Amino acid sequence: MRLVAATGDIHSPRYLNLLSHALKSWSGGEPCMVLLAGDLVERGRAHAFSPAFRLLRERFDSSVFVGVFGNEDWEREEMARLYREVVWLDDSVYTGDCGGSSVAVVGSTGSLDRLTAWQRRNMPWLADVFRRRPRVLEGLVREARREADYVILLTHYGVARATVEGEDPKIHPYLYSSSMERMLSRARPDAAVHAHAHNGRPYAIVHGVPVYNVSLPLVRRIVDVSWVGCG
């Protein structure tokens, strides 16, 4: 099976130099998919992703890019308009071919256990979205499982406590969703990929599911998830 690669928390232009170095250090060959785990721009400026995407496309010129929006990616419609080469997922699924195997990516911003202060003031309705979303994504993972050889859950927010450990425990509820972690135990995707926790842990196995935190300032590299389907 061909490679699947992933990164997130580029916060362009903030980590452009780090992204450039990570891309130059990549030695895994051309991935069939490159997963973008959100917070691709700093403070919502959709145009700021342009230099980052140019670097990514130059390095991975024949890969399919599949992305989700992070909490910093406010201008979602504008990002979708500007970067049409990216398959943007928002509680939706993309299925592609990877070396003869079908890989379904179930993508979403994800959920949190607790709204941030800004979210409580400006988007209080998100509380209901965050409550419902784990069940929605569980249904999508199960549906994808029936039709694809392998299923990857791609979110921005964390999906397990294990990969946000290293952050202050007081802010864990703002970094991941315990409901999403329970969902992993039921739906069992082949892998889960997220970002958001810049000081978390890069990897953990949770309920038998490999979970990758691909936050660029944490791992400082493009993450190779080519293990999918190899075990």
Side-chain angles (χ1 to χ4, degrees):
M1 179 178 176
R2 291 175 64 197
L3 297 170
V4 176
T7 189
D9 289 339
I10 297 170
H11 290 277
S12 185
R14 184 177 175 188
Y15 293 120
L16 274 178
N17 288 340
L18 185 55
L19 175 65
S20 178
H21 177 76
L23 290 168
K24 289 176 182 176
S25 300
W26 172 264
S27 60
E30 185 76 8
C32 61
M33 294 183 191
V34 177
L35 308 182
L36 304 174
D39 273 8
L40 306 175
V41 300
E42 187 85 344
R43 298 185 180 277
R45 295 171 290 181
H47 284 81
F49 187 49
S50 180
F53 187 63
R54 184 166 57 250
L55 290 172
L56 287 159
R57 177 49 84 195
E58 286 173 354
R59 184 63 182 83
F60 303 126
D61 61 350
S62 63
S63 301
V64 176
F65 286 84
V66 182
V68 297
F69 301 107
N71 53 292
E72 292 277 338
D73 303 321
W74 307 330
E75 298 180 346
R76 296 185 175 198
E77 292 183 3
E78 185 69 357
M79 290 188 72
R81 184 186 70 81
L82 289 172
Y83 312 107
R84 297 179 185 272
E85 293 180 69
V86 179
V87 179
W88 296 104
L89 300 179
D90 190 7
D91 297 345
S92 54
V93 184
Y94 167 79
T95 302
D97 178 78
C98 280
S101 297
S102 58
V103 175
V105 182
V106 176
S108 172
T109 299
S111 294
L112 296 176
D113 276 346
R114 190 177 302 165
L115 298 185
T116 66
W118 187 92
Q119 288 169 338
R120 288 196 301 273
R121 288 193 306 270
N122 297 281
M123 306 173 74
W125 46 267
L126 274 179
D128 185 56
V129 173
F130 288 167
R131 280 193 296 269
R132 292 185 289 106
R133 185 167 276 156
R135 285 291 184 181
V136 170
L137 296 178
E138 180 176 352
L140 292 176
V141 170
R142 292 183 184 278
E143 182 179 343
R145 172 68 69 202
R146 292 193 291 269
E147 300 181 3
D149 295 316
Y150 306 104
V151 180
I152 300 173
L153 177 65
L154 173 66
T155 62
H156 175 62
Y157 295 136
V159 296
R161 180 181 292 274
T163 48
V164 304
E165 287 181 349
E167 300 276 8
D168 185 341
K170 293 179 181 177
I171 67 169
H172 283 185
Y174 307 112
L175 297 175
Y176 91 112
S177 163
S178 55
S179 294
M180 290 287 288
E181 182 166 347
R182 290 191 292 273
M183 183 273 282
L184 289 182
S185 70
R186 299 190 300 268
R188 300 293 293 275
D190 292 289
V193 174
H194 72 86
H196 193 52
H198 293 206
N199 299 301
R201 289 173 56 196
Y203 177 80
I205 295 180
V206 181
H207 302 301
V209 178
V211 178
Y212 285 85
N213 177 357
V214 300
S215 177
L216 184 60
L218 170 68
V219 297
R220 308 182 74 83
R221 61 187 174 89
I222 306 300
V223 176
D224 173 1
V225 290
S226 60
W227 58 268
V228 178
C230 296

